[in-house]
């Protein structure tokens, strides 16, 4: 896993550059999108690149990681609303290119395999963006999720409901989420975590044993993951100095010692 430790401004510029490079190399890329506060500065930076540097998402297909079960379409607090306002309205990503695993309680059994089929039909996810739960969840794969799980309905953990309480649609107790096995099939993944509240989850994800008790640790089994971590979220990392040295050498190999240009 490539671990990039930077202050937030530089961190988001680097993460956005990864997305921009993917889309510039393959304009018809399939992106996996995450929601949550962590992702907002990334989407802001992508919007800036769209306006300032002509980055186009016009041919991108996007699949959201997850959605609450039983929310009204585009309800405030829903992930469709989040992604529409954070990305679709601020770039040229077409509204019809944004897919979410939306489901009612009754419809969830059919919605999950249909979502998997839609991802497969699009050719699979090229770059999966991921935030991190305080309990090291990915999407809504709460601790205990099978490392081979597919898109399905999960009950929200109490700590997740508490962490999301400001935006959680009132009655949401469940979500439909890509599984850890689904996420692992993305060709590349970018994990972003910021703030001291994520330090334990970051350490579990990057350095802990691979275990269903820390779902994000499954990323250790993926060959193409970059973790973007700010300094506060990196405080639990035992091998921090090694990651910083390795990153400096990697940038030298890439001819990128200074500030990035997108
Ligand atoms: C939510 C989402 C995750 C997200 C996580 C962190 O529950 N399902 O995809 O990564 O919480 O959210 P935040 O970035 O707001 O801390």
């Amino acid at each position: 896993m490539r671990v990039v430790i930077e202050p937030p401004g530089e961190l988001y510029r680097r993460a956005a550059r990864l997305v921009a490079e993917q889309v510039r190399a393959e304009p018809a890329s399939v992106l996996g999108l995450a929601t949550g506060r962590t992702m907002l500065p990334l989407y802001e930076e992508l919007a800036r690149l769209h306006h300032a540097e002509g980055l186009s998402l016009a041919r991108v297909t996007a699949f959201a990681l997850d959605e609450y079960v039983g929310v009204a379409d585009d309800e405030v607090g829903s992930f469709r609303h989040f992604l529409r306002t954070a990305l679709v309205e601020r770039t040229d990503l077409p509204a019809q290119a944004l897919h979410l695993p939306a489901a009612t309680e009754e419809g969830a059994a059919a919605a999950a395999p249909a979502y998997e089929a839609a991802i497969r039909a699009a050719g699979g996810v090229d770059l999966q963006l991921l935030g991190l739960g305080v309990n090291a969840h990915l999407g809504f794969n709460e601790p205990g999720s099978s490392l081979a799980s597919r898109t399905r309905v999960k009950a929200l953990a109490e700590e997740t409901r508490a962490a999301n309480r400001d935006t959680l649609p009132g009655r949401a107790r469940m979500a439909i989420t890509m599984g850890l096995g689904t996420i692992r099939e993305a060709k590349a993944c970018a994990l972003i975590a910021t703030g001291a509240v994520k330090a334990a989850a970051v350490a579990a994800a990057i350095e802990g044993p691979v275990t269903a008790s820390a779902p994000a640790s499954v990323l250790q089994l993926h060959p193409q993951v970059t973790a973007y971590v700010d300094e506060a979220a990196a405080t639990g990392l035992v091998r921090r100095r090694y990651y910083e040295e390795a990153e400096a050498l990697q940038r030298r190999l890439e001819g990128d010692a200074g500030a990035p240009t997108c």
Side-chain angles (χ1 to χ4, degrees):
M1 193 181 304
R2 183 169 179 175
V3 181
V4 176
I5 303 169
E6 292 283 0
E10 178 64 7
L11 193 75
Y12 283 108
R13 274 192 292 279
R14 289 206 169 258
R17 182 163 64 156
L18 184 76
V19 179
E21 279 170 357
Q22 169 67 45
V23 172
R24 285 185 171 128
E26 175 44 87
S29 287
V30 178
L31 298 182
L33 300 181
T35 56
R37 284 165 291 241
T38 311
M39 306 313 291
L40 285 172
L42 176 69
Y43 296 150
E44 257 166 47
E45 179 63 9
L46 289 176
R48 190 191 70 75
L49 291 176
H50 170 64
H51 293 291
E53 299 185 18
L55 175 69
S56 176
L57 305 182
R59 293 179 56 203
V60 162
T61 303
F63 288 91
L65 261 179
D66 47 12
E67 177 61 287
Y68 295 113
V69 166
V71 294
D73 199 25
D74 209 28
E75 177 176 342
V76 176
S78 71
F79 291 163
R80 178 175 292 282
H81 184 268
F82 178 102
L83 289 169
R84 184 173 61 74
T85 52
L87 205 55
V88 172
E89 288 179 356
R90 304 178 66 192
T91 65
D92 59 351
L93 177 67
Q96 68 276 13
L98 172 63
H99 303 269
L100 288 102
T104 57
E105 282 183 34
E106 312 74 56
Y115 201 60
E116 294 267 341
I119 295 171
R120 269 196 307 278
V125 172
D126 293 305
L127 176 60
Q128 177 66 57
L129 305 178
L130 297 163
L132 184 65
V134 287
N135 59 6
H137 75 209
L138 289 183
F140 278 122
N141 293 281
E142 300 287 21
S145 292
S146 161
L147 302 182
S149 49
R150 312 301 308 185
T151 301
R152 70 219 181 286
V153 171
K154 287 292 287 184
L156 304 182
E158 203 182 321
E159 58 270 27
T160 298
R161 294 215 309 271
N164 292 5
R165 69 175 168 271
D166 293 346
T167 52
L168 191 73
R171 55 198 179 285
R173 294 287 176 274
M174 290 184 284
I176 179 165
T177 180
M178 283 188 200
L180 297 172
T182 320
I183 292 168
R184 277 179 67 182
E185 285 172 8
K187 293 175 191 86
C189 296
L191 175 74
I192 307 181
T194 59
V197 72
K198 300 286 173 70
V202 164
I206 296 176
E207 294 181 340
V210 175
T211 167
S213 296
S217 65
V218 76
L219 296 175
Q220 295 174 34
L221 300 175
H222 193 289
Q224 194 65 38
V225 177
T226 308
Y228 296 88
V229 181
D230 77 352
E231 287 156 327
T235 51
L237 291 172
V238 172
R239 287 187 288 278
R240 176 177 173 164
R241 282 211 39 202
Y242 171 76
Y243 306 134
E244 288 174 334
E245 285 165 17
E247 180 61 17
L249 290 172
Q250 182 66 31
R251 286 182 195 177
R252 210 160 83 190
L253 285 180
E254 293 169 359
D256 174 27
T261 49
C262 288

